[in-house]
Amino acid sequence: MAGPASTSPHGRDGSPSGASTVFRRGTVLTMDDARRVLQDADVLVTGDRITAVGERLAVPEGTTEIDADGGIVMPGMIDTHRHMWQTAMRGYGADWTLTQYFVWYYLEHGREFRPEDVYAGNMLSAMESLEAGVTTTVDWSHGLQSVDHAEAAVDGLAAVPGRFVLAYGNIQAGPWEWTALPEVQAFLRRLRDAADDMLGVQMAFDVTGDPSFPEKAAFEVARELGLPVSTHAGVWGATNDAGIRLMHENGFMTPETVYVHAATLSADSYQRIAATGGSISVSTESEQSAGQGYPPTWQVRRHNIPVSLSMDTSVWWSGDLFSAMRSTLGADRSREHLEAHAKGATVTHTHLRAEQVVEWATRGGARAIGRDDLGSVEVGKKADLILIKNDDSPVGFPLLNPYGHVVFQAQRGDVHTVLVDGRIVKHEHRLIGTDLTRAKAAVGATVDYLRSTMGEDSWRSGMNPELPEADEVLDNPYTYTDYKSATTRTARGTVFGEPTPKG
Ligand SMILES: [Zn+2]
């Protein structure tokens, strides 16, 4: 649906035409098995593939040259779990817990979304992915109340030249209900058989742990259709070990299964996941503030379970995998220190390294979605690549520790160029082939609609959850009486006001 980009190497039908692009003289994080980091190296792309990696490559006439000197070339990042439709209400839930989210979603605005609203949110979220160097995004689309909603979700993704996976879900009905619908199964079959490697398909639903295991019927549909299942597992107060045990005992845990969060599971559940080869999608920004449980990498790496990273939802947090890498590394190290302190010990060498979170954001994601042809810079792989480079920024140099630079120094504004399937979709910090004006208009209409449907009071109270009782400020023997009396308390916490007379 998007107009073809003028600099796209794709033909009129959108397929790669054999045009080529070369990145020159960059620092290349190959993310290959040997984790080679190449200095002053070129990467040549021909059509949709990486065709050469090395120094001073000879390239065909007419090749587009991109100066990567001073920058980092790495695989495009992969987000394995994002509720993209919710981006239409970006940032609205910044102060929520899961409780407010469920009210919003099950009872209020979430259920009001029409197909055009899903379309608007998906389109905006898809653009955001490319802008931030995320070349593949799994759209964990659990707002598909009808097949019309599903068609709209796909249209929103197709309007943007990125790579996506539609994880089909509908939280307004039981998984055993919506997966039984002939029209849903027909839609899933059609998507599966389209054999378009720009759009994959999964099924997305949760397992409550109800001993009668009603979700069994949904797993059977997934098995019959040959589709992977992604499931929120190990979410405090919602899904737990019982769900994992039911899945395992019924033979539904496979290497393709993706367990999202997996933050409140026992060692027994982690062992079942490890033994069946599935992977965990960690959404640290989400887990840290919504309350699913502590971001679990510090535990799951001890079980050697593959990990990928995800952003969950922009109705709350960012869609920024730089932030995911940074917060995941921080959460893991924070826990490692705290666990040691509790035993009176000191951590002198951290276990989790910057390199590992870059791996999770790239190869980890590729593995989770079963795409061997993504996630590394190697000859023969798909040309989903990003260049991180910002000559106008004081943060661009010195470039001493490339993994550390990606994780703790770079940010999405530093993504200079993005290629998806060999096509240049962002260059010199600007998106190409995406119609942001159209997305703005569509999202604007959705916001107007939702705001008027639920009413202004509901809109405002949904965005600003009530504060619990303010914490008592502890008495402090070291403060002067005058300073104590200068402290005034308000409903929103403690602030320092004008000094008041003593007494
Ligand atoms: Zn989620």
Side-chain angles (χ1 to χ4, degrees):
M1 292 173 74
S6 55
T7 56
S8 166
H10 289 227
R12 200 175 295 180
D13 62 351
S15 60
S17 63
S20 52
T21 303
V22 66
F23 292 93
R24 291 289 195 196
R25 312 195 63 169
T27 296
V28 180
L29 303 186
T30 64
M31 307 315 294
D32 65 6
D33 289 341
R35 297 287 185 277
R36 287 178 310 143
V37 177
L38 310 175
Q39 305 290 346
D40 201 19
D42 301 349
V43 179
L44 176 66
V45 169
T46 311
D48 62 344
R49 300 278 168 177
I50 296 165
T51 46
V53 180
E55 289 179 20
R56 315 279 184 277
L57 295 175
V59 301
E61 216 181 296
T63 297
T64 303
E65 300 253 349
I66 296 174
D67 177 12
D69 189 20
I72 295 170
V73 179
M74 61 178 267
M77 292 181 279
I78 297 172
D79 182 335
T80 54
H81 149 248
R82 193 188 306 176
H83 311 296
M84 296 176 77
W85 60 279
Q86 298 178 350
T87 305
M89 288 181 74
R90 180 193 297 290
Y92 179 89
D95 293 322
W96 285 345
T97 61
L98 272 181
T99 306
Q100 283 102 25
Y101 173 71
F102 288 144
V103 169
W104 171 80
Y105 189 178
Y106 287 107
L107 305 175
E108 296 185 348
H109 297 95
R111 66 189 296 178
E112 300 296 335
F113 271 63
R114 305 161 299 175
E116 56 261 53
D117 305 316
V118 172
Y119 170 80
N122 268 26
M123 181 165 49
L124 184 64
S125 185
M127 290 178 186
E128 179 177 8
S129 281
L130 296 189
E131 158 75 13
V134 179
T135 49
T136 301
T137 312
V138 175
D139 178 22
W140 220 101
S141 196
H142 55 349
L144 303 181
Q145 302 179 50
S146 72
V147 171
D148 286 347
H149 285 75
E151 300 277 7
V154 169
D155 287 347
L157 301 177
V160 179
R163 204 182 293 279
F164 304 100
V165 175
L166 181 77
Y168 193 116
N170 174 14
I171 207 162
Q172 304 292 351
W176 55 93
E177 293 168 333
W178 64 262
T179 56
L181 298 173
E183 66 269 26
V184 170
Q185 293 187 10
F187 177 88
L188 290 169
R189 249 185 226 105
R190 191 152 46 81
L191 224 53
R192 179 200 65 189
D193 296 342
D196 174 1
D197 76 2
M198 298 300 287
L199 181 67
V201 58
Q202 298 176 345
M203 287 171 66
F205 55 87
D206 297 342
V207 181
T208 63
D210 175 343
S212 70
F213 196 31
E215 299 87 359
K216 184 178 182 189
F219 280 107
E220 281 166 348
V221 171
R223 179 182 284 166
E224 189 198 314
L225 295 174
L227 297 177
V229 171
S230 182
T231 186
H232 292 109
V235 173
W236 176 258
T239 59
N240 54 39
D241 291 322
I244 296 289
R245 189 175 46 74
L246 286 165
M247 287 175 66
H248 191 234
E249 287 171 354
N250 286 276
F252 294 122
M253 291 176 72
T254 72
E256 295 79 38
T257 311
V258 177
Y259 306 86
V260 176
H261 301 307
T264 51
L265 297 176
S266 65
D268 179 73
S269 286
Y270 289 131
Q271 283 167 350
R272 292 178 200 254
I273 294 171
T276 50
S279 67
I280 288 176
S281 175
V282 176
S283 306
T284 300
E285 274 195 17
S286 169
E287 288 132 21
Q288 285 185 322
S289 80
Q292 296 94 338
Y294 199 89
T297 58
W298 68 286
Q299 296 195 80
V300 304
R301 57 187 168 77
R302 293 192 297 204
H303 292 280
N304 202 24
I305 299 171
V307 170
S308 64
L309 302 184
S310 61
M311 298 315 308
D312 207 348
T313 171
S314 296
V315 73
W316 220 322
W317 308 288
S318 77
D320 179 353
L321 278 184
F322 289 100
S323 174
M325 291 189 283
R326 192 175 297 176
S327 58
T328 301
L329 196 55
D332 191 292
R333 289 177 177 177
S334 179
R335 186 70 185 231
E336 187 174 19
H337 288 299
L338 286 173
E339 295 284 321
H341 296 176
K343 295 180 210 151
T346 301
V347 174
T348 56
H349 297 74
T350 52
H351 277 87
L352 192 64
R353 299 303 167 101
E355 177 186 329
Q356 183 64 65
V357 291
V358 176
E359 199 264 358
W360 288 341
T362 53
R363 279 187 78 144
R367 189 215 167 278
I369 61 170
R371 291 291 302 258
D372 288 347
D373 56 345
L374 302 176
S376 63
V377 184
E378 295 177 89
V379 171
K381 299 276 175 134
K382 282 278 187 176
D384 289 10
L385 296 166
I386 66 174
L387 168 62
I388 297 168
K389 169 173 160 148
N390 191 346
D391 291 336
D392 296 325
S393 166
V395 185
F397 63 93
L399 177 49
L400 307 176
N401 175 343
Y403 293 115
H405 205 95
V406 168
V407 175
F408 282 129
Q409 307 300 321
Q411 48 118 338
R412 59 181 158 183
D414 298 327
V415 175
H416 176 285
T417 297
V418 179
L419 262 69
V420 181
D421 211 43
R423 174 176 175 175
I424 300 172
V425 299
K426 184 182 183 188
H427 189 49
E428 293 180 342
H429 304 279
R430 294 214 154 255
L431 287 173
I432 295 169
T434 52
D435 190 348
L436 194 57
T437 308
R438 188 162 130 220
K440 267 186 191 166
V443 167
T446 287
V447 169
D448 289 346
Y449 161 74
L450 292 171
R451 201 167 178 151
S452 59
T453 303
M454 293 299 299
E456 202 56 29
D457 284 351
S458 168
W459 180 267
R460 263 199 295 261
S461 63
M463 186 158 39
N464 302 292
E466 276 179 41
L467 268 177
E469 277 294 294
D471 293 333
E472 286 293 322
V473 176
L474 299 179
D475 194 41
N476 181 343
Y478 302 108
T479 53
Y480 294 107
T481 312
D482 279 339
Y483 282 97
K484 278 171 87 174
S485 64
T487 304
T488 48
R489 283 163 38 78
T490 72
R492 295 218 157 238
T494 301
V495 296
F496 291 94
E498 293 291 311
T500 48
K502 194 174 154 190

